[in-house]
Amino acid sequence: MDSFEWNKVMGAVISFALLIMVIRTISDSTFHVEETKPAFTIEVASAGGAAEAVEEDKPSLAVLLASADAAKGARQFAKCKACHTVEKGGRNGTGPNLYGIIGRSVAADDTFKYSSVLGGANQIWTWELMDQWLTSPKNTFKGTSMGFAGIKKEQQRADLMAYLRTFADVEEALPVEESAEKAEEAAEVSR
């Protein structure tokens, strides 16, 4: 073989390698799959047979509310403004007025037409219930007509609740964190 033939062979090999690289780059950008981390880890039983309890590193709702910033909550409320008002005697929009929401019945406003799910709920808006609601309204009261997806970040929910707390005749007391000992005692009593 002369050098011209070798140049053709080498050109074909290089062209093929470049073609493979281009195809790989295009397919990676088209069919890119991000590596995701699981939301939580499920512990399985150890070889000894007993599963160990997984303790969460998340702060309690009481701790989050104690450190909540109502000014930041005002920014979170911007997501709610399209449907709700917070002023005393304020009008209802697509959603009810939220003045004094913490501590009142779920469907307390007689001037607002609640969905049948909320209208039939015989509950009080506690800090815990409000936290669940703000996380996912659809999962808190299945069948609700509220179309809000929820706020996933715990501190943002706490900030929003701190903001809502300022719109009441009397601010609702913040929850108190139970000590670990009291929580264990309560767990033993319930067994």
Side-chain angles (χ1 to χ4, degrees), residues 83-85 89-98 104 109-114:
C83 301
H84 298 280
T85 59
R91 65 167 179 74
N92 290 322
T94 305
N97 176 280
L98 300 178
R104 78 178 189 200
D109 187 347
D110 295 334
T111 64
F112 184 77
K113 181 161 175 42
Y114 293 93

Side-chain angles (χ1 to χ4, degrees), residues 18-90:
L18 285 174
L19 179 66
I20 296 297
M21 287 178 16
V22 167
I23 290 172
R24 182 172 183 214
T25 303
I26 290 172
S27 67
D28 280 350
S29 65
T30 305
F31 302 106
H32 179 71
V33 177
E34 287 188 28
E35 199 173 302
T36 58
K37 294 181 182 179
F40 57 91
T41 304
I42 299 174
E43 293 289 329
V44 294
S46 62
E52 296 179 19
V54 179
E55 230 176 275
E56 297 180 10
D57 292 335
K58 298 188 299 186
S60 69
L61 181 58
V63 170
L64 288 168
L65 286 168
S67 65
D69 184 352
K72 288 181 181 177
R75 289 192 293 272
Q76 289 300 317
F77 188 73
K79 299 172 187 174
C80 313
K81 271 185 186 177
C83 301
H84 298 280
T85 59
V86 290
E87 297 78 24
K88 184 173 186 171

Side-chain angles (χ1 to χ4, degrees), residues 54-159:
V54 179
E55 230 176 275
E56 297 180 10
D57 292 335
K58 298 188 299 186
S60 69
L61 181 58
V63 170
L64 288 168
L65 286 168
S67 65
D69 184 352
K72 288 181 181 177
R75 289 192 293 272
Q76 289 300 317
F77 188 73
K79 299 172 187 174
C80 313
K81 271 185 186 177
C83 301
H84 298 280
T85 59
V86 290
E87 297 78 24
K88 184 173 186 171
R91 65 167 179 74
N92 290 322
T94 305
N97 176 280
L98 300 178
Y99 185 83
I101 187 76
I102 302 294
R104 78 178 189 200
S105 295
V106 169
D109 187 347
D110 295 334
T111 64
F112 184 77
K113 181 161 175 42
Y114 293 93
S115 64
S116 60
V117 173
L118 289 178
N122 190 16
Q123 292 181 308
I124 303 291
W125 283 115
T126 62
W127 293 108
E128 293 77 13
L129 183 59
M130 182 60 71
D131 186 50
Q132 289 174 10
W133 176 258
L134 291 174
T135 302
S136 175
K138 299 276 185 202
N139 289 333
T140 304
F141 290 104
K142 297 197 185 313
T144 182
S145 59
M146 185 167 170
F148 183 61
I151 300 172
K152 301 303 174 210
K153 294 186 178 178
E154 297 165 337
Q155 191 60 56
Q156 289 178 347
R157 290 192 309 269
D159 291 341

